Amino acid sequence: KGRGWRYYIIALFTFTLSLLSKAMAVSFPVVLLLLDYVSGRRFDRRAILEKVPFFILSVFFGILIILAHMASGALKVERTYAVSQNIFIALKSLVFYLIKTVWPVNLSTHYLYPNPRTIKVLSASGFIYLAVVLSVILVIVYTRRRTKVLTFGGLFFLITIFPVLQFIHVGSIFAADRFMYIPSVGLFYILGAGVNRLYGREGVYSGARRALIVLLVSVAALSFSVLTYNRNTVWKSSETLWRDTIKKQPLDFFAHDALGSAYYNKGELNKALEEYKKALTLGSDAKVHNNIGNVYLDKGSITMAIKHYLIALELKPDFTEAYFKLAIAYQRKGFLDEAITSYNNALRFSGLADKNYVRDIYNNLGNAYAKKGFLREAMKSYKKALSIDPDDEFSLHNMQIIKEMYDKKDLK
């Protein structure tokens, strides 16, 4: 309010931290304009110019987030749905968030997109979704001159939820509980202001009314606390989380794959294989075939492991892990030439891989070269591994063995 530059700089700095923490922060500059409107501030030149750095940061980070998701493969725009169907889903998700905020039961980690064949835009549900959204907008417009509470709370909700309404079909879920963390502030602002106004109103039955308000708020707080506690038990482990998801979304391909990985990490290979195969019945995916290959590799079924690794690479030719594990399988079968080729392919596509993962590839490649008798190449691979991790015991041990056995040869 004092227009001090110190607070402006602090706000800009903390906004940057917010952008680094959560992508949804990109909507904050628009919220600043909303705050100006609600506080009655004039939209003069100063009010606009002071928002420019916030908008620049927001646009920059927005582009950065999109590029990062595209590079990692997390952002894949699906063209399965018509434009009208995407609008239908956006309206549905908006109503979904409103309902879940008031009645947060049957929550799930994933909320799958409906099948495009089942979406009928001109249906009863479609008109209901449209009617609810239009009602919210009309209430905001109609009450803007009488009170700014509904204007601020409603617009805050709509502005902050808008970036995740999936007007463009991206990914496999149309909604997520975490998307409501920030937008819910607008809704609870309205609720809080309404309760405060009712509680403060004087009248004949003001005492009884206040007691009733306290009782209702207490019951609501207790109920939500119990729901929160029960929901937290679902997050006890990966296994409990994904079993709960499958219970509510039995056709969730990702959940079956994730549950399979939870079993795999516990060493329960048969259960893991069962879940991975269930995932495959819902859609062919390189990652799942790679996971099945890992199970067979651990079980000693090398031929089956190789089969699934090759399928994974057909679906995703730049799959680093699949090349690495395929090389291990080949090496166990004694196919050293094929193993060396696969290790080199793994290195070729290892740009985003963890450095320790790359170190292991070089170390295994060195072992394959050593078995082939290509000692110079083996030594080069071990040196590459040690350049990544100078204290790696495996590479040091392997190099020492070669030096001791062939010290008379020029291996430097």
Side-chain angles (χ1 to χ4, degrees), residues 20-287:
L20 289 166
S21 304
K22 190 75 173 173
M24 285 186 70
V26 295
S27 60
F28 180 66
V30 184
V31 173
L32 287 177
L33 293 174
L34 175 62
L35 287 167
D36 283 347
Y37 165 75
V38 171
S39 63
R41 185 180 178 188
R42 291 178 56 191
F43 285 97
D44 54 17
R45 185 170 177 269
R46 179 189 175 98
I48 300 299
L49 288 178
E50 71 183 16
K51 309 296 188 303
V52 171
F54 289 90
F55 275 102
I56 291 174
L57 280 172
S58 189
V59 171
F60 172 75
F61 274 89
I63 294 172
L64 198 65
I65 290 162
I66 292 172
L67 293 176
H69 282 313
M70 291 176 65
S72 66
L75 182 61
K76 294 181 180 179
V77 178
E78 304 287 349
R79 304 186 185 280
T80 311
Y81 296 80
V83 174
S84 59
Q85 289 181 319
N86 281 329
I87 294 174
F88 174 92
I89 292 171
L91 295 175
K92 176 182 178 178
S93 63
L94 193 63
V95 175
F96 170 88
Y97 288 126
L98 289 171
I99 293 173
K100 289 296 183 183
T101 301
V102 178
W103 193 250
V105 296
N106 202 32
L107 300 179
S108 177
T109 308
H110 274 191
Y111 299 101
L112 294 179
Y113 268 96
N115 190 314
R117 296 177 182 177
T118 64
I119 296 178
K120 295 181 180 180
V121 177
L122 299 177
S123 61
S125 57
F127 286 115
I128 291 173
Y129 298 147
L130 181 61
V132 171
V133 174
L134 288 177
S135 296
V136 172
I137 295 173
L138 286 174
V139 169
I140 293 172
V141 173
Y142 181 75
T143 61
R144 73 187 189 281
R145 293 182 179 178
R146 297 184 179 182
T147 175
K148 291 185 176 181
V149 170
L150 291 173
T151 303
F152 175 78
L155 288 179
F156 186 98
F157 167 72
L158 293 175
I159 289 168
T160 52
I161 200 70
F162 184 82
V164 294
L165 285 183
Q166 302 284 6
F167 282 100
I168 299 175
H169 180 198
V170 177
S172 60
I173 58 173
F174 80 94
D177 297 334
R178 64 185 181 276
F179 292 163
M180 267 301 290
Y181 294 164
I182 294 175
S184 64
V185 171
L187 300 180
F188 285 110
Y189 171 79
I190 294 173
L191 180 63
V195 170
N196 184 59
R197 184 172 180 178
L198 286 173
Y199 190 85
R201 182 182 296 176
E202 297 294 338
V204 179
Y205 302 104
S206 59
R209 184 177 67 251
R210 288 170 182 172
L212 179 61
I213 290 173
V214 170
L215 176 63
L216 291 175
V217 169
S218 300
V219 170
L222 180 61
S223 300
F224 287 141
S225 297
V226 171
L227 288 172
T228 300
Y229 181 85
N230 290 335
R231 182 62 185 162
N232 284 343
T233 61
V234 171
W235 290 78
K236 179 182 178 181
S237 67
S238 296
E239 182 180 340
T240 56
L241 175 65
W242 295 115
R243 284 174 64 180
D244 175 78
T245 305
I246 291 171
K247 181 180 178 181
K248 294 163 182 173
Q249 305 281 342
L251 300 180
D252 191 334
F253 161 87
F254 182 87
H256 283 290
D257 178 46
L259 180 57
S261 295
Y263 285 136
Y264 179 79
N265 292 332
K266 289 176 63 178
E268 298 180 13
L269 300 183
N270 291 330
K271 287 185 177 181
L273 187 60
E274 182 182 351
E275 290 301 325
Y276 289 144
K277 287 183 176 180
K278 286 180 181 178
L280 281 185
T281 63
L282 299 172
S284 184
D285 181 79
K287 182 174 175 288

Side-chain angles (χ1 to χ4, degrees), residues 331 340 343 347 359-383 385 398 402:
Q331 197 164 346
I340 289 170
Y343 282 133
L347 290 171
R359 175 205 63 196
D360 292 342
I361 298 175
Y362 274 118
N363 197 29
N364 282 26
L365 178 60
N367 293 341
Y369 278 132
K371 286 186 179 181
K372 284 278 291 183
F374 297 164
L375 303 180
R376 289 180 185 275
E377 287 77 3
M379 189 64 71
K380 288 179 182 178
S381 295
Y382 294 142
K383 286 182 177 179
N398 291 333
I402 292 179

